[in-house]
Amino acid sequence: MNVNQHTPMAPPYGQPQPGYSHPGYAPLDGGYSGPYAPYNGPASAYQPGAPAQGPTRGPPTSGPPPVSAPQAYNQYSQGNMQNGPPPMTQAPPRPAVSQPYNQGAVNLSGPHSGYPQQYGPQPTMHQVTNQMTGMQITSGPPTPAGPGYVAPRSSQPSISTPYSTAPPPTYTQAPPLTSSAAPQQPHPSGPATSQQYYGGPPPPAQQPFSSSLPPTSQQQFSSGPPPPSQQTFPPSSFSGPVPPPSQAPAPPVSQPQQSFPPTQPPFSSAPPPVGQPAFHSGPPPPVQGSFPPRAPAPSSQPGSFPPPGPPPTSTASGQYPGPMPPQQQHPPSQPSPYHSGPPPLRAQMPPTSMAQSNHLPPGPPGPLGPPGPLQQAPPQPGMQGGYPPQQNGAFGQVRGPQPGYAGPYPGQPNYGTPAPAPAPAPAAQKRLDPDAIPSPIQVIEDDKAKSTEPFTTGVRGQAPPLVTTNFQVKDQGNSSPRFIRCTAYNMPCTADMAKQSQVPMAAVIKPLATLPPDETPPYLVDHGEGGPIRCNRCKAYMCPYMQFIEGGRRFQCGFCSCVTEVPPHYFQHLDHTGKRMDCYDRPELSLGSYEFLATVDYCKNNKIPQPPAFIFLIDVSYNAVKSGMVHIVCQELKTLLDHLPRENPEMDSVVRVGFVTYNKVLHFYNVKSTMAQPQMLVVSDVSDMFVPLLDGFLVNVKESRLVIESLLDQIPEMFADTRETETVFGPVIQAGLEALKAADCAGKLFVFHTSLPIAEAPGKLKNREDKKLIGTDKEKSLFQPQVNFYNTLAKECVAQGCCVDLFLFPSQYVDVATLSVVPVSTGGSVYKYTYFQAQSDQERFLNDLRRDVQNPVGFDAVMRVRTSTGIRATDFFGSFFMSNTTDVELAGLDCDKAITVEFKHDDKLSEETGALMQCAVLYTSCSGQRRLRVHNMAVNCCSQLADLYRNCETDTIINFFSKYAFRGILNNPTKAVRETLINQCAQILACYRKNCANPSSAGQLILPECMKLLPVYLNCVLKSDVLLPGADVSLDDRAYLRQMISCMDVADSHVFFYPRLLPLMKLESGSLPVAVRNSEERLSKGGVYLLETGLHLFLWVGASVQQELLVNIFGTPSFSQIDPSMTSLPELDNPFSQRLREIIDSFRAQRSRYMKLMVVKQEDRSELIFRHFLVEDKSCSGGASYVDFLCHMHKEIRQLLS
Amino acid sequence: MATFPEYIAQNEERDGVRFSWNVWPSSRLEATRMVVPVASLFTPLKERPDLPPIQYEPVLCSRATCRAVLNPLCQVDYRAKLWACNFCYQRNQFPPSYAGISEVNQPAELLPQFSTIEYVVQRGPQMPLVFLYVVDTCMEDEDLQALKESLQMSLSLVPPTALVGLITFGRMVQVHELGCEGISKSYVFRGTKDLNAKQLQEMLGLTKPSANQGRGPQSVQQPLSNRFLQPLQKIDMNLTELLGELQRDPWPVTQGKRPLRSLGVAMSIAVGLLECTFANTGARIMAFLGGPATQGPGMVVGDELKTPIRSWHDIEKDNAKFMKKATKHYESLANRASSNGHVIDLYACALDQTGLLEMKCCANYTGGYVVMADSFNTSLFKQTFQRVFNKDVQGSFKMAFAATLEVKTSREIKVSGAIGPCVSLNAKGPCVSENEIGTGGTCQWKICALDPSSTLALYFEVVNQHNAPIPQGGRGAIQFVTQYQHSSGQKRIRVTTTARNWADAQTQIQNIAASFDQEAAAILMARLAVYRAETEEGPDVLRWLDRQLIRLCQKFGDYHKDDPNSFRFSETFSLYPQFMFHLRRSPFLQVFNNSPDESSYYRHQFNRQDLTQALIMVQPLLYAYSFNGPPEPVLLDSSSILPDRILLMDTFFQILIYHGETVAQWRKAGYQEMSEYENFKHLLQAPDDARSCCTPFPMPRTEHGGSQARFLLSKVNPSQTHNNMFSWGQESGAPILTDDVSLQVFMDHLKKLAVSSAA
């Protein structure tokens, strides 16, 4: 698995501290710094410490690298500090932890600053990745070397050296810079060295680095040029590199450590930052100045140090990149920022000061221990003075140390000793290299590469490929992952284990999922008049888990072990293996998913159901007419009615249709085929709804076509001049419900609604949107329905099998939280088109409507999940209604709806038999046939936690967590929900660290291979609009998302939380370009990117995009001529355009909702919206960046571990 | 002086008034001893084609409490241009327009022959007629088809300017919006929930935008139509189509159930709709019922077929659980409608009862028609319905709307009340008696619908004290002022002033006795009895009626005490006991063999028809056709039933043609087909021809012999029964199998009681 080297880092620090041989340390520092940095970084980011870092942060985006570099220096120094302070750091961090987040959220700058630091630390990142890789390789942490990775230890050392070298350089550079910043003298010395280095090293890719930290680093780099790539993976070597850093810092070590503490302090409390600033202020007056020195150091250096400066500038950027693969990207951007306005950025960002502070603190803190004070007083002096030397020394040492480190690291002695204390500290201080932390893209791509064979479900406990992977499924006795995905395919045997691990045991079930054309849909099995054969006791349906005994005369239930007689007509002899002879002839004995034909006993009231009906209820109030909605719906229905769902495409659909329009009153339409013209029946008594007609309301489309068309033509006309603005809503649903009741059938209501129902009627609502409540304990009430009326109504709907789909066209607050109660409880969907405009939104709406109408759908469904003894389905999430604790009732169930089921132990499971679950859904098909769809799933059970962690699926866990959290906000303050999530996640990871990972320093972040993306995804959940709304996110939007997530399957929730970002610079037919990570840093100004969230589709166009691309895509050579309001791309006759549109179409086809295309031009206003989906970055609503969050998570884990 | 019968006939002809007494006892005490009260039958719109249209407004007495209209009985001082009110003796100045008045130049209202005169008021807007059809759709297709045709036919009879509206009901109530193009619209209401006018107004979107009010003159001209009531000329085609498309109520009716019929709510909505759009304007709600209300307010029976609709038996046992509530519902509707001047007609066509008992007040209070038939697909309904739209010689509908009748009396007499299709307006005044009879306590009544035969019974009380003798030659005067909306939309005022002599009962009893109008008295007493029967127990009414008869006999009979054989009645009283005999047997007082609906129906008709028709109802006419001579009226007696006769009985409600045994055999043998027996063919046809020329309303049934003979047998006086058949020998008549007493027995008992000193 991947062990984040953080831990190792820490240890190294610790080691350095103890055994600080300068040389050794120095290198260590370098390496450590890297790792630490990440930790610190995040920490700092979160914490006040952030400020200092923050500033750097700011720059980071544009030109993080430079900043980071300086920070890195600081970190180093800090790293040194840490050695001393580690213990301190640890303590502080914890308390800080929570605060940090807040602070982090609040102080963007803080985190930013952290970032820079992290960047600096990139090495840490590497370490992390190294660890990760290591983790991967060996299931246990110890032998980190993943399969792919080189032998961990052995390689580590070697690698580490290079790394260490690399980092050190940066550090060294930084120091110089810092020194330069504060005391010029240092600069000279530093610069000098650097310059020298530069002079020499510049050429290499490292140049950039060299520029800043150049000399040393370069050297190191040069020695280990592989770094970049290695760095990314270095993980394996991580330990190696890490140590080096620590070592490098060694001399500084003490300082670094100290510095760490400081960072930690910041985390813990605001003071740190303050302290830092103070420090900075002192030295920095400089803040900017100081910064400039640093960041500019490279860049500015040029100026100050002509020699180094010039080369550095350019190189600087380059150099940075060089060292850190990720950085490389940054560098480019960074450079510019730096150059252009490094000062401003720094100035802006307290971080700059932070950086300084960092630097400063390191010195003093190291010794002092207490971050705050230490930092302030000692830091400056010590720092400045010390830094240069340290750095120098470090650097120098670095080289030496690194090798040495490698040794130490592997041995981990250093870690071991210092680990605990130092680990945390270092992490915090150093800036993580985004490329070094687990990359979702990498994981997705790896999985794709791995999954070339069809996935067979026959093997119990085998985790399927990721949802992002295209794969074929062969049903061999367990359900396809398209139907059921589990969080864990190895369930803990006991409740204690489960509790200890905190890994949720849940399954996401999508009972009617659509299968790709190359997979067979579930077979239909008819057991005759007696109905499906079931276990006598638990009523489980015949399935492959039933064991036939006594020559086939009886079978033993796999769920409850009860023995049941085989009915004579079902008897079959067994073969020599004890299998029934007809095993492979019967789907229910050989497959995971199949359907039974239900008998009349399975029907409501013991009556064969009537074919279902669709009722269209259209708001015709002023707003609806004006927005064009009424017209569009009526036009569309004319053709759409030919495509009602049917099972046999040859036949006409048996679904009947009815029409209602409404504003303050309801208008029913009699469209009986025998009538010359439609008849409108107005019901104005909305307080007591009823259906005014029976015959002629629900009709067969074919028979009444003429009348229906006449009606649909007339509706827009009739209400063209309406002045009625008030609407009702409750009675509308009641009307549909009553109509279905009267017709004695199940069905679906399509409600097209525009406004808050304020007209006097049951279910009348008032505007309660109150932004002031957001963030308070009362916030939860905004997600609860305003009145109880709709809950009652929903209950009645479910009883009748009346599913409600709601299409909203609001122009202001409509209280989605309340209006969606019925759709959500009846298995329906809510669609929202805010500020609907016919021209731009028509396509999206119509596609959604078409899909919604045509989708195969089941009615009047009841789902029950049976499990083998030992576990029990305890909780359900999704769009449905439950009147008891076991039966999930769905008035309607379409192919997009997923239900998440949580399981809990009620006894012990055995490894031998595993855990079985059977999900049976009884429903009425769209042809009116009563059926039972059965999905079976068997997973392994384990008594070793390691097994559990080895067979988890993060995407599913996230799906579960998001649903769990989104339901949680109904009853708890949002903040509490977020914290709960973080805690649970931390516990999961901590449990792994504690029980499964190879022993390593506590400062090391070690993530299980299967869950290495958990932090990044969890962060996406945490910063989603629902849990952390920005100022511009309306309450309706949040409620809307909340309900939508509740029934999402894993694939949808995955892309929703971690959108897909495709670079479009080169398109090949047949394959998609490899996605890039959701961070602004990954966007190239000269490129075009496509971002898909499952709800939105953005085409981002860089400001300096190549003309050729523009011409190919938009047919215009000018960036300024792109019309940002276009919703579809022009159809150009060139392969690129065709392929791009093909890709867009295929994306749309994959999702249950049509995604409207938005063209976003870089630096346009709309880019803000786009940026919101760059989920690895810090969000404008205060969400942490991935790096920050990872560091925070690490801190949490460490706290748990200690 | 002409004889009293001539005088009476003349008065009726000219004024439409028949008094029980044409000379009035001069004191309260004496008056009460007359047994039959001083009362009159008044037909406000008595057809008077000869009346000149008076295009100005009446001149009123200036006394605020009087306001009597100038009339021929007033004393006029032509020189001073003064007139003295003959009711309050107030002296009034003629208005300036009468400046040219003189003995030779008298306005019409002062001419004696114009004791009844009609003023046409020019002011005020001309209101269009409003017809609102309320149509039941829960009926057999055949019935519905017939009804639809009748309704469509009626559209050709309604003037094009009239506003028409359509409400249909079954399980739901639909108010149809008229004149929609391309789509037919209707507002639907659930049949189980009553709505008040305001709710209805909101739900139908009839609320007038208040913003309009400030807009000045334009808003004054309020549109006289709305989406639901529109001029026929505008929506003729649309409505015809709409009626053509009417379908039977589509809601399924399961085996053993009645269809759910929301009659109560439909009526309520009809009333509410007119209430909020045409208050105080004449309007006609015509409700066509195919069965009883089975749900919602006003339901009279549940939808379970196994539970039959209430019978008199149930009512007596207090077993009719819906009756009281339903009655209350319809009463409140009737009150609302009548206070707004709206008429409710009930056309109930079903084999079973439809709840007329509960709904009777709707028609009774508003003067609406009630028609009861077995099916809409009968000529009875079709022709009767057509006659609603009959026109008079001037081409106007024979219907008037929103009338008020005011009665003014001389000081010596006061009005006690009225019985007829009217409601009280609660107008207190000096001429209102403290004793209430019928609808009393007021001198003004609202009569929402009037036709030329609508007749009210008005009861008076002589209040002059015994010790305050009226001077010789003094006359008591009564003025009837009827304001109404003519079918042309005009407002008209008809004034009838009449006077009768006073006589001292002690000295001039013969005069008084001679002035007795036994026909009018019989009907006036019958109305009283029916009124009592509606409100009291049946037997008590009969006893009361008997007692009154006995007292009358005692008072005006000529006999020796305790000698029944000596009893003689003067000619003016001679028929009275016989009327009472038939009245006692009539369905107005006897509920046996009649359903509650039928009783209500009969009583309704009896209470509104004029004297002639009422008398026929009490004592049907019987005509005999035979080879022996021209058709002749014969006694309503079993002795009139002879084998070689064809009898035609007119009971007002039905016309029955009865073939005597021999005639029936001849007919069976087909003699009428043979040319040599053409005279027999003519004989058979004669009654049919006669029947077609009588035009009472509603159209009576025609029954040919056979099982329908029971109607004849139940009406005739059972002079021969199985009990006395042999004593009468076999020479004539047909015995009736009944235990009812015959007229002979009745008279014997009456005489005995009358002369008994013990009574």
Side-chain angles (χ1 to χ4, degrees), chain A residues 564-860:
Chain A
T564 305
E565 292 277 346
V566 174
H569 70 268
Y570 196 68
F571 175 80
Q572 179 65 253
H573 292 288
L574 305 185
D575 66 12
H576 62 284
T577 61
K579 265 192 194 156
R580 276 171 64 116
M581 307 283 283
D582 62 353
C583 177
Y584 292 103
D585 299 334
R586 290 186 176 272
E588 75 272 25
L589 297 181
S590 53
L591 296 181
S593 302
Y594 43 86
E595 287 196 330
F596 285 115
L597 204 57
T599 60
V600 77
D601 297 332
Y602 292 81
C603 300
K604 194 188 280 177
N605 304 328
N606 286 337
K607 265 197 321 206
I608 295 290
Q610 301 272 336
F614 281 4
I615 301 177
F616 299 89
L617 306 112
I618 308 166
D619 182 350
V620 290
S621 64
Y622 176 76
N623 284 333
V625 174
K626 205 182 91 196
S627 69
M629 180 273 277
V630 174
H631 182 78
I632 292 171
V633 171
C634 291
Q635 278 309 111
E636 180 63 19
L637 281 183
K638 278 196 253 176
T639 47
L640 196 52
L641 292 179
D642 289 329
H643 301 96
L644 297 176
R646 66 200 78 182
E647 278 173 289
N648 181 350
E650 315 281 302
M651 310 244 296
D652 288 321
S653 174
V654 294
V655 175
R656 289 175 297 164
V657 296
F659 303 89
V660 173
T661 58
Y662 65 93
N663 40 46
K664 219 164 66 174
V665 299
L666 276 78
H667 320 107
F668 293 77
Y669 295 93
N670 185 346
V671 285
K672 202 169 165 182
S673 57
T674 55
M675 301 212 309
Q677 59 181 35
Q679 200 181 5
M680 176 197 214
L681 300 166
V682 184
V683 173
S684 27
D685 186 5
V686 289
S687 62
D688 191 7
M689 206 56 221
F690 63 95
V691 178
L693 76 171
L694 179 62
D695 199 19
F697 180 63
L698 294 178
V699 295
N700 182 296
V701 177
K702 206 175 170 192
E703 288 168 7
S704 293
R705 166 157 299 282
L706 288 179
V707 193
I708 292 177
E709 283 193 355
S710 154
L711 170 68
L712 293 174
D713 281 337
Q714 284 188 55
I715 289 177
E717 271 175 46
M718 266 191 294
F719 299 100
D721 303 323
T722 186
R723 308 184 118 198
E724 183 60 72
T725 52
E726 293 189 357
T727 58
V728 295
F729 185 71
V732 177
I733 293 177
Q734 281 177 324
L737 171 62
E738 293 300 323
L740 294 180
K741 267 189 195 165
D744 191 25
C745 66
K748 200 163 179 180
L749 310 184
F750 297 83
V751 185
F752 304 89
H753 189 79
T754 57
S755 55
L756 193 67
I758 51 170
E760 196 55 55
K764 172 185 170 178
L765 301 179
K766 42 182 201 282
N767 190 334
R768 57 165 179 169
E769 187 176 33
D770 185 357
K771 294 248 179 200
K772 287 198 291 286
L773 291 185
I774 292 173
T776 68
D777 282 356
K778 283 187 181 155
E779 182 177 1
K780 61 190 178 193
S781 70
L782 297 178
F783 293 104
Q784 294 163 350
Q786 192 177 135
V787 291
N788 224 358
F789 170 81
Y790 292 101
N791 298 74
T792 321
L793 181 58
K795 212 166 161 181
E796 290 173 28
C797 285
V798 172
Q800 180 58 38
C802 167
C803 170
V804 179
D805 278 354
L806 178 59
F807 294 79
L808 287 169
F809 305 84
S811 51
Q812 54 194 359
Y813 180 70
V814 292
D815 200 347
V816 174
T818 308
L819 295 191
S820 64
V821 166
V822 177
V824 164
S825 309
T826 57
S829 313
V830 180
Y831 298 82
K832 186 154 87 69
Y833 309 92
T834 314
Y835 306 121
F836 180 80
Q837 282 186 328
Q839 204 188 345
S840 53
D841 298 312
Q842 178 174 1
E843 200 188 356
R844 179 162 70 109
F845 162 57
L846 288 183
N847 278 289
D848 284 346
L849 176 61
R850 283 175 200 142
R851 193 182 152 94
D852 196 34
V853 170
Q854 298 172 8
N855 257 352
V857 59
F859 294 98
D860 212 359

